[in-house]
Tab-separated table of all heavy atoms in Angstrom:
chain	number	residue	atom	x	y	z
O	1	ARG	N	-2.703	10.136	4.381
O	1	ARG	CA	-1.751	10.269	3.237
O	1	ARG	C	-1.755	8.926	2.427
O	1	ARG	O	-1.435	8.977	1.260
O	1	ARG	CB	-0.337	10.416	3.812
O	1	ARG	CG	-0.204	11.742	4.566
O	1	ARG	CD	1.342	11.982	4.848
O	1	ARG	NE	1.922	11.070	5.722
O	1	ARG	CZ	2.896	10.275	5.505
O	1	ARG	NH1	3.524	10.312	4.188
O	1	ARG	NH2	3.426	9.424	6.373
O	2	PHE	N	-2.067	7.745	3.122
O	2	PHE	CA	-2.072	6.477	2.492
O	2	PHE	C	-3.430	5.980	2.300
O	2	PHE	O	-4.341	6.079	3.196
O	2	PHE	CB	-1.261	5.403	3.219
O	2	PHE	CG	0.236	5.672	3.238
O	2	PHE	CD1	0.844	6.863	2.795
O	2	PHE	CD2	1.021	4.649	3.758
O	2	PHE	CE1	2.204	7.064	2.912
O	2	PHE	CE2	2.506	4.732	3.745
O	2	PHE	CZ	2.994	6.017	3.322
O	3	THR	N	-3.662	5.257	1.164
O	3	THR	CA	-5.011	4.606	1.025
O	3	THR	C	-4.858	3.407	0.109
O	3	THR	O	-3.857	3.408	-0.687
O	3	THR	CB	-6.118	5.504	0.509
O	3	THR	OG1	-7.311	4.895	0.542
O	3	THR	CG2	-5.758	5.951	-0.955
O	4	ILE	N	-5.586	2.402	0.208
O	4	ILE	CA	-5.604	1.178	-0.552
O	4	ILE	C	-6.718	1.244	-1.605
O	4	ILE	O	-7.836	1.584	-1.239
O	4	ILE	CB	-5.643	-0.108	0.221
O	4	ILE	CG1	-4.380	-0.285	1.064
O	4	ILE	CG2	-5.962	-1.260	-0.705
O	4	ILE	CD1	-4.406	-1.510	2.022
O	5	SER	N	-6.343	0.848	-2.851
O	5	SER	CA	-7.403	0.577	-3.824
O	5	SER	C	-7.201	-0.760	-4.424
O	5	SER	O	-6.117	-1.287	-4.404
O	5	SER	CB	-7.394	1.666	-4.904
O	5	SER	OG	-6.189	1.672	-5.562
O	6	ARG	N	-8.194	-1.346	-4.996
O	6	ARG	CA	-8.071	-2.751	-5.496
O	6	ARG	C	-9.012	-2.908	-6.675
O	6	ARG	O	-10.068	-2.281	-6.854
O	6	ARG	CB	-8.341	-3.793	-4.404
O	6	ARG	CG	-9.814	-3.856	-4.005
O	6	ARG	CD	-9.861	-4.773	-2.764
O	6	ARG	NE	-9.575	-6.165	-3.174
O	6	ARG	CZ	-9.402	-7.164	-2.307
O	6	ARG	NH1	-9.489	-7.014	-1.002
O	6	ARG	NH2	-9.161	-8.342	-2.702
O	7	ASP	N	-8.577	-3.815	-7.603
O	7	ASP	CA	-9.374	-4.185	-8.766
O	7	ASP	C	-9.329	-5.686	-8.695
O	7	ASP	O	-8.324	-6.366	-9.174
O	7	ASP	CB	-8.664	-3.649	-9.989
O	7	ASP	CG	-9.622	-3.862	-11.229
O	7	ASP	OD1	-10.307	-4.944	-11.274
O	7	ASP	OD2	-9.463	-3.119	-12.243
O	8	SER	N	-10.385	-6.254	-8.226
O	8	SER	CA	-10.462	-7.682	-8.157
O	8	SER	C	-10.474	-8.392	-9.387
O	8	SER	O	-9.949	-9.560	-9.559
O	8	SER	CB	-11.803	-8.125	-7.346
O	8	SER	OG	-11.745	-7.605	-6.080
O	9	ALA	N	-10.941	-7.806	-10.548
O	9	ALA	CA	-10.957	-8.425	-11.865
O	9	ALA	C	-9.498	-8.498	-12.279
O	9	ALA	O	-9.227	-9.443	-13.103
O	9	ALA	CB	-11.760	-7.542	-12.821
O	10	LYS	N	-8.657	-7.695	-11.933
O	10	LYS	CA	-7.197	-7.644	-12.284
O	10	LYS	C	-6.339	-8.412	-11.208
O	10	LYS	O	-5.140	-8.457	-11.397
O	10	LYS	CB	-6.689	-6.260	-12.609
O	10	LYS	CG	-7.381	-5.604	-13.743
O	10	LYS	CD	-6.786	-4.241	-13.909
O	10	LYS	CE	-7.440	-3.552	-15.192
O	10	LYS	NZ	-6.877	-2.132	-15.413
O	11	ASN	N	-7.021	-8.689	-10.120
O	11	ASN	CA	-6.270	-9.425	-8.963
O	11	ASN	C	-5.132	-8.477	-8.597
O	11	ASN	O	-3.940	-8.924	-8.458
O	11	ASN	CB	-5.665	-10.760	-9.443
O	11	ASN	CG	-6.765	-11.782	-9.612
O	11	ASN	OD1	-7.854	-11.661	-9.082
O	11	ASN	ND2	-6.498	-12.836	-10.431
O	12	THR	N	-5.364	-7.195	-8.411
O	12	THR	CA	-4.322	-6.252	-8.141
O	12	THR	C	-4.847	-5.329	-7.008
O	12	THR	O	-6.022	-4.830	-7.013
O	12	THR	CB	-3.950	-5.440	-9.379
O	12	THR	OG1	-3.429	-6.355	-10.385
O	12	THR	CG2	-2.823	-4.517	-8.964
O	13	VAL	N	-3.896	-4.972	-6.080
O	13	VAL	CA	-4.183	-4.016	-5.082
O	13	VAL	C	-3.022	-2.998	-5.151
O	13	VAL	O	-1.860	-3.304	-5.361
O	13	VAL	CB	-4.161	-4.682	-3.700
O	13	VAL	CG1	-4.343	-3.620	-2.631
O	13	VAL	CG2	-5.296	-5.736	-3.569
O	14	TRP	N	-3.356	-1.690	-4.894
O	14	TRP	CA	-2.486	-0.637	-4.995
O	14	TRP	C	-2.397	0.036	-3.623
O	14	TRP	O	-3.473	0.118	-2.922
O	14	TRP	CB	-2.781	0.446	-6.015
O	14	TRP	CG	-2.712	-0.083	-7.426
O	14	TRP	CD1	-1.622	-0.091	-8.279
O	14	TRP	CD2	-3.748	-0.628	-8.144
O	14	TRP	NE1	-1.948	-0.577	-9.479
O	14	TRP	CE2	-3.259	-1.015	-9.442
O	14	TRP	CE3	-5.143	-0.947	-7.887
O	14	TRP	CZ2	-4.024	-1.573	-10.409
O	14	TRP	CZ3	-5.882	-1.565	-8.878
O	14	TRP	CH2	-5.362	-1.817	-10.137
O	15	LEU	N	-1.251	0.510	-3.179
O	15	LEU	CA	-1.110	1.447	-2.065
O	15	LEU	C	-0.782	2.828	-2.489
O	15	LEU	O	0.324	3.093	-2.953
O	15	LEU	CB	-0.003	0.854	-1.121
O	15	LEU	CG	0.219	1.760	0.205
O	15	LEU	CD1	-1.040	1.675	1.010
O	15	LEU	CD2	1.426	1.300	0.894
O	16	GLN	N	-1.684	3.712	-2.430
O	16	GLN	CA	-1.542	5.106	-2.873
O	16	GLN	C	-0.899	5.826	-1.701
O	16	GLN	O	-1.479	5.930	-0.594
O	16	GLN	CB	-2.801	5.789	-3.236
O	16	GLN	CG	-2.674	7.227	-3.612
O	16	GLN	CD	-1.876	7.539	-4.940
O	16	GLN	OE1	-2.142	6.854	-5.900
O	16	GLN	NE2	-0.967	8.418	-4.819
O	17	MET	N	0.291	6.313	-1.885
O	17	MET	CA	1.092	6.995	-0.907
O	17	MET	C	1.310	8.435	-1.308
O	17	MET	O	2.021	8.711	-2.340
O	17	MET	CB	2.468	6.301	-0.564
O	17	MET	CG	2.247	4.877	-0.155
O	17	MET	SD	3.776	4.124	0.357
O	17	MET	CE	4.696	4.130	-1.102
O	18	ASN	N	0.825	9.376	-0.548
O	18	ASN	CA	0.979	10.915	-0.911
O	18	ASN	C	1.785	11.602	0.096
O	18	ASN	O	1.920	11.115	1.312
O	18	ASN	CB	-0.412	11.498	-1.032
O	18	ASN	CG	-1.197	10.901	-2.188
O	18	ASN	OD1	-0.717	10.653	-3.301
O	18	ASN	ND2	-2.517	10.763	-1.893
O	19	ASN	N	2.408	12.632	-0.240
O	19	ASN	CA	3.127	13.529	0.652
O	19	ASN	C	4.070	12.608	1.494
O	19	ASN	O	4.174	12.684	2.694
O	19	ASN	CB	2.180	14.265	1.619
O	19	ASN	CG	2.938	15.311	2.459
O	19	ASN	OD1	3.959	15.756	2.100
O	19	ASN	ND2	2.336	15.666	3.557
O	20	LEU	N	4.969	11.871	0.729
O	20	LEU	CA	5.862	11.000	1.426
O	20	LEU	C	6.872	11.679	2.253
O	20	LEU	O	7.339	12.801	1.937
O	20	LEU	CB	6.565	10.077	0.415
O	20	LEU	CG	5.635	8.976	-0.145
O	20	LEU	CD1	6.068	8.411	-1.410
O	20	LEU	CD2	5.528	7.842	0.942
O	21	LYS	N	7.355	11.029	3.314
O	21	LYS	CA	8.314	11.603	4.273
O	21	LYS	C	9.440	10.643	4.376
O	21	LYS	O	9.334	9.453	4.125
O	21	LYS	CB	7.591	11.758	5.720
O	21	LYS	CG	6.378	12.703	5.540
O	21	LYS	CD	5.718	12.746	6.957
O	21	LYS	CE	4.468	13.685	6.880
O	21	LYS	NZ	3.771	13.851	8.205
O	22	PRO	N	10.631	11.263	4.747
O	22	PRO	CA	11.725	10.310	4.870
O	22	PRO	C	11.509	9.073	5.843
O	22	PRO	O	12.013	8.036	5.677
O	22	PRO	CB	12.837	11.233	5.503
O	22	PRO	CG	12.470	12.515	4.959
O	22	PRO	CD	10.968	12.583	4.959
O	23	GLU	N	10.640	9.289	6.815
O	23	GLU	CA	10.300	8.178	7.758
O	23	GLU	C	9.489	7.198	7.145
O	23	GLU	O	9.197	6.109	7.775
O	23	GLU	CB	9.702	8.705	9.048
O	23	GLU	CG	8.454	9.590	8.837
O	23	GLU	CD	8.828	11.119	8.885
O	23	GLU	OE1	9.892	11.462	8.285
O	23	GLU	OE2	8.038	11.861	9.415
O	24	ASP	N	9.019	7.364	5.932
O	24	ASP	CA	8.186	6.315	5.224
O	24	ASP	C	9.227	5.370	4.492
O	24	ASP	O	8.684	4.357	3.907
O	24	ASP	CB	7.267	6.983	4.179
O	24	ASP	CG	6.182	7.844	4.852
O	24	ASP	OD1	5.595	7.313	5.849
O	24	ASP	OD2	5.895	8.862	4.294
O	25	THR	N	10.514	5.676	4.510
O	25	THR	CA	11.431	4.786	3.884
O	25	THR	C	11.402	3.370	4.464
O	25	THR	O	11.490	3.213	5.674
O	25	THR	CB	12.836	5.353	4.020
O	25	THR	OG1	12.922	6.533	3.340
O	25	THR	CG2	13.909	4.358	3.513
O	26	ALA	N	11.163	2.375	3.684
O	26	ALA	CA	11.025	1.008	4.110
O	26	ALA	C	10.838	0.014	2.988
O	26	ALA	O	10.692	0.483	1.807
O	26	ALA	CB	9.873	0.829	5.009
O	27	ILE	N	10.941	-1.159	3.255
O	27	ILE	CA	10.484	-2.197	2.243
O	27	ILE	C	9.038	-2.462	2.475
O	27	ILE	O	8.632	-2.683	3.664
O	27	ILE	CB	11.268	-3.570	2.356
O	27	ILE	CG1	12.747	-3.266	2.207
O	27	ILE	CG2	10.761	-4.517	1.428
O	27	ILE	CD1	13.661	-4.471	2.438
O	28	TYR	N	8.211	-2.328	1.423
O	28	TYR	CA	6.745	-2.540	1.611
O	28	TYR	C	6.430	-3.846	0.984
O	28	TYR	O	6.814	-4.277	-0.071
O	28	TYR	CB	6.013	-1.308	0.806
O	28	TYR	CG	6.037	-0.071	1.537
O	28	TYR	CD1	7.272	0.724	1.634
O	28	TYR	CD2	5.030	0.453	2.222
O	28	TYR	CE1	7.329	1.820	2.407
O	28	TYR	CE2	4.967	1.609	2.932
O	28	TYR	CZ	6.228	2.344	3.050
O	28	TYR	OH	6.186	3.486	3.698
O	29	TYR	N	5.532	-4.517	1.800
O	29	TYR	CA	5.001	-5.855	1.457
O	29	TYR	C	3.498	-5.838	1.478
O	29	TYR	O	2.886	-5.171	2.192
O	29	TYR	CB	5.464	-6.775	2.548
O	29	TYR	CG	6.941	-6.969	2.784
O	29	TYR	CD1	7.531	-6.131	3.791
O	29	TYR	CD2	7.671	-7.935	2.131
O	29	TYR	CE1	8.942	-6.303	3.916
O	29	TYR	CE2	9.094	-8.042	2.345
O	29	TYR	CZ	9.626	-7.197	3.258
O	29	TYR	OH	11.031	-7.315	3.539
O	30	CYS	N	2.940	-6.703	0.681
O	30	CYS	CA	1.506	-6.948	0.711
O	30	CYS	C	1.371	-8.351	1.210
O	30	CYS	O	2.133	-9.219	0.995
O	30	CYS	CB	0.794	-6.741	-0.581
O	30	CYS	SG	1.227	-7.843	-1.960
O	31	ASN	N	0.235	-8.586	1.873
O	31	ASN	CA	-0.108	-9.917	2.416
O	31	ASN	C	-1.578	-9.896	2.798
O	31	ASN	O	-2.213	-8.892	2.738
O	31	ASN	CB	0.743	-10.208	3.755
O	31	ASN	CG	0.898	-11.661	3.942
O	31	ASN	OD1	-0.101	-12.443	3.808
O	31	ASN	ND2	2.120	-12.149	4.339
O	32	THR	N	-2.029	-11.069	3.078
O	32	THR	CA	-3.467	-11.126	3.526
O	32	THR	C	-3.561	-10.450	4.934
O	32	THR	O	-2.481	-10.148	5.592
O	32	THR	CB	-3.961	-12.542	3.673
O	32	THR	OG1	-3.022	-13.252	4.554
O	32	THR	CG2	-3.967	-13.219	2.320
O	33	TYR	N	-4.746	-10.212	5.429
O	33	TYR	CA	-4.895	-9.731	6.751
O	33	TYR	C	-5.820	-10.646	7.447
O	33	TYR	O	-7.005	-10.855	6.997
O	33	TYR	CB	-5.486	-8.299	6.803
O	33	TYR	CG	-5.791	-7.850	8.264
O	33	TYR	CD1	-4.697	-7.361	8.994
O	33	TYR	CD2	-6.952	-7.943	8.873
O	33	TYR	CE1	-4.926	-6.913	10.321
O	33	TYR	CE2	-7.221	-7.628	10.168
O	33	TYR	CZ	-6.160	-7.124	10.872
O	33	TYR	OH	-6.386	-6.718	12.198
O	34	PRO	N	-5.425	-11.315	8.498
O	34	PRO	CA	-4.058	-11.266	9.090
O	34	PRO	C	-3.070	-11.932	8.118
O	34	PRO	O	-3.480	-12.713	7.263
O	34	PRO	CB	-4.172	-12.034	10.377
O	34	PRO	CG	-5.358	-13.005	10.197
O	34	PRO	CD	-6.290	-12.159	9.375
O	35	PRO	N	-1.753	-11.678	8.388
O	35	PRO	CA	-0.765	-12.086	7.378
O	35	PRO	C	-0.583	-13.572	7.480
O	35	PRO	O	-0.690	-14.198	8.499
O	35	PRO	CB	0.450	-11.324	7.721
O	35	PRO	CG	0.312	-11.000	9.268
O	35	PRO	CD	-1.140	-10.801	9.437
């Protein structure tokens, strides 16, 4: 349901979330890995 895409030229990363469920309710953060 979730996947990440990125555009390095734009310095942007997206989290594509499909078919969302109530249990997906949260604050979402981006960070390096490891954080």
Side-chain angles (χ1 to χ4, degrees):
R1 299 191 295 119
F2 289 14
T3 188
I4 290 177
S5 60
R6 65 188 297 169
D7 186 332
S8 297
K10 296 181 178 179
N11 293 335
T12 303
V13 174
W14 295 270
L15 178 65
Q16 176 68 46
M17 305 188 293
N18 298 319
N19 190 23
L20 281 160
K21 303 176 180 181
E23 53 263 41
D24 295 320
T25 295
I27 299 174
Y28 284 74
Y29 305 86
C30 62
N31 202 320
T32 57
Y33 178 84

